[in-house]
Amino acid sequence: SEAVATVSVITVIFNRPVVPLVSVEDMGDLPHPLSFDPPVEGAGEWLNTSIYQFKPDELRGGTTYTVTVEGGLEDVTGGVLQDDFVWSFSTLPPELLDIEPESDETKVLLEAPVEITFSQRMDPAAVEQAFQLVSLGTDPLLVPIEPVPVAGTFEWNDTNTVMTFQPDERLELITTYRITLDGEQALSETGAPLVASWESEFVTLPPPNILATAPADGTQDASPYG
Protein backbone atom coordinates (compact mmCIF):
# COMPACT_ATOMS: atom_id res chain seq x y z
CA SER A 1 0.00 0.00 0.00
CA GLU A 2 1.06 3.58 -0.68
CA ALA A 3 -0.07 6.92 0.74
CA VAL A 4 -1.01 5.34 4.07
CA ALA A 5 -2.08 7.83 6.75
CA THR A 6 0.42 8.39 9.55
CA VAL A 7 -2.28 7.64 12.15
CA SER A 8 -3.18 4.24 10.68
CA VAL A 9 -3.70 1.15 12.83
CA ILE A 10 -1.94 -2.07 11.79
CA THR A 11 -4.12 -5.18 11.99
CA VAL A 12 -3.16 -8.84 11.49
CA ILE A 13 -5.80 -11.55 11.07
CA PHE A 14 -4.76 -15.18 11.51
CA ASN A 15 -6.63 -18.14 10.06
CA ARG A 16 -6.97 -19.88 13.42
CA PRO A 17 -6.80 -19.04 17.14
CA VAL A 18 -3.25 -18.07 18.12
CA VAL A 19 -3.79 -17.08 21.74
CA PRO A 20 -6.19 -18.43 24.37
CA LEU A 21 -9.06 -16.49 25.87
CA VAL A 22 -7.72 -14.74 28.97
CA SER A 23 -8.84 -12.05 31.39
CA VAL A 24 -7.93 -8.42 30.81
CA GLU A 25 -5.38 -8.63 33.63
CA ASP A 26 -3.51 -11.44 31.83
CA MET A 27 -3.45 -9.90 28.36
CA GLY A 28 -0.01 -8.44 29.01
CA ASP A 29 1.43 -11.97 29.01
CA LEU A 30 0.27 -12.69 25.45
CA PRO A 31 2.83 -12.55 22.61
CA HIS A 32 3.29 -9.41 20.51
CA PRO A 33 4.02 -10.86 17.06
CA LEU A 34 4.96 -7.77 15.03
CA SER A 35 8.37 -6.20 14.47
CA PHE A 36 8.89 -3.00 12.42
CA ASP A 37 11.73 -1.68 10.29
CA PRO A 38 12.28 1.19 10.96
CA PRO A 39 11.18 0.73 14.60
CA VAL A 40 7.78 2.06 15.67
CA GLU A 41 6.63 3.02 19.15
CA GLY A 42 3.09 2.11 20.13
CA ALA A 43 0.84 -0.43 21.84
CA GLY A 44 -0.59 -3.73 20.61
CA GLU A 45 -3.48 -5.86 21.80
CA TRP A 46 -5.36 -9.01 20.83
CA LEU A 47 -8.96 -8.13 19.91
CA ASN A 48 -9.82 -11.84 20.09
CA THR A 49 -7.92 -15.11 19.79
CA SER A 50 -6.95 -14.58 16.13
CA ILE A 51 -6.91 -10.80 15.48
CA TYR A 52 -4.00 -8.66 16.64
CA GLN A 53 -4.03 -4.86 16.40
CA PHE A 54 -1.12 -2.44 16.82
CA LYS A 55 -1.69 1.28 17.35
CA PRO A 56 1.47 3.33 16.59
CA ASP A 57 2.08 6.50 18.56
CA GLU A 58 2.62 8.02 15.12
CA LEU A 59 4.14 6.77 11.88
CA ARG A 60 6.78 8.86 10.12
CA GLY A 61 5.48 10.57 6.98
CA GLY A 62 7.03 9.67 3.61
CA THR A 63 8.53 6.43 4.93
CA THR A 64 8.41 2.78 3.81
CA TYR A 65 7.82 0.38 6.69
CA THR A 66 8.49 -3.36 6.64
CA VAL A 67 6.51 -5.44 9.13
CA THR A 68 7.37 -9.01 10.08
CA VAL A 69 5.55 -11.80 11.87
CA GLU A 70 8.43 -14.11 12.72
CA GLY A 71 8.22 -17.80 11.97
CA GLY A 72 7.90 -20.06 15.00
CA LEU A 73 4.73 -18.43 16.32
CA GLU A 74 2.50 -21.19 17.76
CA ASP A 75 -1.28 -21.37 17.78
CA VAL A 76 -3.35 -22.78 20.63
CA THR A 77 -3.14 -26.33 19.22
CA GLY A 78 0.65 -26.29 18.90
CA GLY A 79 0.68 -25.56 15.16
CA VAL A 80 3.68 -23.49 14.09
CA LEU A 81 4.05 -20.66 11.58
CA GLN A 82 6.82 -22.17 9.45
CA ASP A 83 8.24 -19.02 7.78
CA ASP A 84 8.44 -15.32 8.44
CA PHE A 85 5.47 -13.40 7.05
CA VAL A 86 6.68 -10.04 5.73
CA TRP A 87 4.86 -7.13 4.13
CA SER A 88 5.53 -3.42 3.61
CA PHE A 89 3.67 -0.14 3.10
CA SER A 90 4.54 3.53 2.54
CA THR A 91 3.11 6.51 4.41
CA LEU A 92 2.02 9.87 3.04
CA PRO A 93 4.67 12.59 3.11
CA PRO A 94 3.62 15.88 4.73
CA GLU A 95 1.98 18.31 2.29
CA LEU A 96 1.06 21.98 2.16
CA LEU A 97 -2.75 22.06 2.03
CA ASP A 98 -3.52 25.77 1.91
CA ILE A 99 -1.78 29.14 1.99
CA GLU A 100 -3.06 32.68 2.53
CA PRO A 101 -2.66 35.06 0.76
CA GLU A 102 -3.26 32.86 -2.28
CA SER A 103 -0.82 32.68 -5.17
CA ASP A 104 -1.20 35.71 -7.51
CA GLU A 105 -3.73 37.34 -5.19
CA THR A 106 -4.01 41.13 -5.55
CA LYS A 107 -5.22 43.93 -3.27
CA VAL A 108 -3.98 42.09 -0.19
CA LEU A 109 -4.46 44.07 3.04
CA LEU A 110 -1.34 45.66 4.49
CA GLU A 111 -1.87 44.00 7.89
CA ALA A 112 -2.51 40.54 6.41
CA PRO A 113 -0.50 37.66 7.92
CA VAL A 114 0.76 34.66 5.97
CA GLU A 115 -1.06 31.49 7.07
CA ILE A 116 0.02 28.01 5.95
CA THR A 117 -1.90 24.79 6.65
CA PHE A 118 -0.13 21.40 6.58
CA SER A 119 -1.47 17.84 6.33
CA GLN A 120 0.55 16.59 9.31
CA ARG A 121 1.98 17.84 12.59
CA MET A 122 5.12 19.80 11.75
CA ASP A 123 8.41 20.66 13.44
CA PRO A 124 7.96 24.41 14.11
CA ALA A 125 11.67 25.23 14.27
CA ALA A 126 12.41 23.45 10.98
CA VAL A 127 9.47 25.04 9.15
CA GLU A 128 10.30 28.53 10.40
CA GLN A 129 13.87 28.08 9.17
CA ALA A 130 12.57 26.99 5.75
CA PHE A 131 10.11 29.90 5.40
CA GLN A 132 10.81 33.32 3.94
CA LEU A 133 8.71 36.33 2.95
CA VAL A 134 10.49 38.95 0.81
CA SER A 135 9.53 42.24 -0.84
CA LEU A 136 10.14 42.50 -4.59
CA GLY A 137 9.25 46.19 -4.87
CA THR A 138 6.54 47.85 -6.94
CA ASP A 139 7.57 46.57 -10.38
CA PRO A 140 9.90 43.54 -10.19
CA LEU A 141 9.39 42.63 -13.87
CA LEU A 142 10.65 45.95 -15.25
CA VAL A 143 13.06 47.05 -12.54
CA PRO A 144 14.80 44.02 -11.01
CA ILE A 145 15.77 44.62 -7.39
CA GLU A 146 17.37 42.61 -4.64
CA PRO A 147 14.62 40.88 -2.61
CA VAL A 148 14.25 42.41 0.85
CA PRO A 149 13.41 39.94 3.67
CA VAL A 150 10.39 40.83 5.81
CA ALA A 151 10.85 40.39 9.55
CA GLY A 152 8.03 39.00 11.66
CA THR A 153 6.90 36.54 14.30
CA PHE A 154 5.53 33.00 14.07
CA GLU A 155 2.54 31.42 15.80
CA TRP A 156 1.25 27.82 15.65
CA ASN A 157 -2.05 26.18 16.48
CA ASP A 158 -2.26 23.50 19.18
CA THR A 159 -1.62 20.63 16.73
CA ASN A 160 1.30 22.28 14.90
CA THR A 161 -0.55 21.98 11.58
CA VAL A 162 -1.22 25.70 10.96
CA MET A 163 1.58 28.28 10.97
CA THR A 164 0.91 32.03 11.01
CA PHE A 165 3.60 34.57 10.13
CA GLN A 166 2.78 38.12 11.20
CA PRO A 167 5.07 40.84 9.75
CA ASP A 168 6.48 43.20 12.36
CA GLU A 169 5.40 46.22 10.29
CA ARG A 170 2.60 46.91 7.83
CA LEU A 171 3.34 45.85 4.27
CA GLU A 172 3.95 48.50 1.63
CA LEU A 173 1.28 49.72 -0.80
CA ILE A 174 1.07 48.16 -4.29
CA THR A 175 4.13 46.00 -3.66
CA THR A 176 4.82 42.45 -4.80
CA TYR A 177 5.77 39.95 -2.08
CA ARG A 178 7.12 36.44 -2.54
CA ILE A 179 6.53 33.50 -0.17
CA THR A 180 9.02 30.61 -0.28
CA LEU A 181 9.11 27.37 1.68
CA ASP A 182 12.02 24.95 1.23
CA GLY A 183 10.55 21.43 1.10
CA GLU A 184 13.80 19.75 2.16
CA GLN A 185 14.15 21.95 5.24
CA ALA A 186 10.50 21.97 6.30
CA LEU A 187 10.10 18.78 8.32
CA SER A 188 7.16 17.07 9.94
CA GLU A 189 7.16 16.33 13.66
CA THR A 190 8.51 12.86 12.80
CA GLY A 191 11.31 14.24 10.61
CA ALA A 192 9.86 13.75 7.10
CA PRO A 193 10.42 16.51 4.51
CA LEU A 194 7.57 18.13 2.59
CA VAL A 195 6.52 16.45 -0.63
CA ALA A 196 7.56 19.61 -2.53
CA SER A 197 8.86 23.14 -2.05
CA TRP A 198 6.53 26.13 -2.44
CA GLU A 199 6.84 29.56 -4.03
CA SER A 200 4.11 32.11 -4.68
CA GLU A 201 3.62 35.86 -5.00
CA PHE A 202 0.92 38.35 -4.07
CA VAL A 203 0.41 42.12 -4.47
CA THR A 204 -0.83 44.52 -1.81
CA LEU A 205 -3.47 47.25 -2.08
CA PRO A 206 -2.88 50.28 -4.32
CA PRO A 207 -2.90 53.79 -2.80
CA PRO A 208 -6.30 55.32 -1.93
CA ASN A 209 -8.17 56.56 -4.99
CA ILE A 210 -11.68 57.83 -5.81
CA LEU A 211 -13.41 55.36 -8.11
CA ALA A 212 -16.70 57.18 -8.63
CA THR A 213 -18.97 59.92 -7.32
CA ALA A 214 -22.73 60.17 -7.10
CA PRO A 215 -24.06 62.29 -8.65
CA ALA A 216 -21.45 61.75 -11.36
CA ASP A 217 -19.34 64.68 -12.53
CA GLY A 218 -21.32 66.84 -14.98
CA THR A 219 -24.77 65.45 -14.14
CA GLN A 220 -27.54 67.89 -15.20
CA ASP A 221 -30.63 66.10 -13.84
CA ALA A 222 -29.51 65.01 -10.37
CA SER A 223 -32.34 64.31 -7.94
CA PRO A 224 -32.74 67.12 -5.37
CA TYR A 225 -33.32 64.45 -2.72
CA GLY A 226 -30.14 62.47 -3.39
Side-chain angles (χ1 to χ4, degrees):
S1 297
E2 296 180 348
V4 173
T6 56
V7 294
S8 294
V9 174
I10 291 90
T11 303
V12 180
I13 303 173
F14 295 89
N15 65 340
R16 62 181 68 182
V18 175
V19 296
L21 287 172
V22 296
S23 64
V24 174
E25 291 78 11
D26 295 329
M27 290 188 69
D29 298 328
L30 298 177
H32 296 280
L34 305 186
S35 61
F36 292 84
D37 182 23
V40 176
E41 297 293 330
E45 63 175 336
W46 289 91
L47 301 185
N48 56 36
T49 59
S50 60
I51 299 178
Y52 180 80
Q53 193 171 77
F54 183 84
K55 297 180 179 178
D57 292 341
E58 188 168 21
L59 298 173
R60 185 178 187 269
T63 301
T64 297
Y65 286 93
T66 300
V67 192
T68 302
V69 179
E70 294 185 1
L73 182 69
E74 293 188 16
D75 66 17
V76 294
T77 67
V80 177
L81 181 67
Q82 295 298 316
D83 302 309
D84 290 353
F85 184 87
V86 182
W87 80 100
S88 63
F89 60 88
S90 300
T91 53
L92 274 169
E95 295 182 82
L96 190 155
L97 298 181
D98 186 50
I99 189 164
E100 294 288 343
E102 297 179 354
S103 181
D104 298 324
E105 186 173 348
T106 60
K107 299 182 180 180
V108 173
L109 299 179
L110 305 185
E111 302 84 0
V114 175
E115 184 176 278
I116 303 177
T117 302
F118 300 93
S119 63
Q120 298 176 20
R121 298 170 68 97
M122 302 299 288
D123 178 344
V127 176
E128 291 170 16
Q129 186 68 26
F131 172 87
Q132 190 175 44
L133 176 66
V134 298
S135 169
L136 300 178
T138 58
D139 195 356
L141 295 180
L142 298 180
V143 185
I145 65 169
E146 189 70 22
V148 179
V150 176
T153 55
F154 296 92
E155 292 184 4
W156 290 82
N157 67 345
D158 293 339
T159 59
N160 286 346
T161 55
V162 179
M163 184 196 79
T164 302
F165 176 80
Q166 183 65 59
D168 291 340
E169 298 181 359
R170 288 167 51 134
L171 302 179
E172 298 293 332
L173 290 167
I174 200 166
T175 299
T176 300
Y177 289 87
R178 177 183 294 157
I179 302 167
T180 57
L181 190 65
D182 188 322
E184 291 297 321
Q185 282 188 292
L187 305 177
S188 71
E189 191 177 75
T190 58
L194 277 179
V195 67
S197 296
W198 177 267
E199 182 176 291
S200 64
E201 296 179 2
F202 64 88
V203 181
T204 51
L205 285 167
N209 188 27
I210 295 175
L211 300 180
T213 62
D217 184 33
T219 299
Q220 299 299 313
D221 56 352
S223 168
Y225 307 105

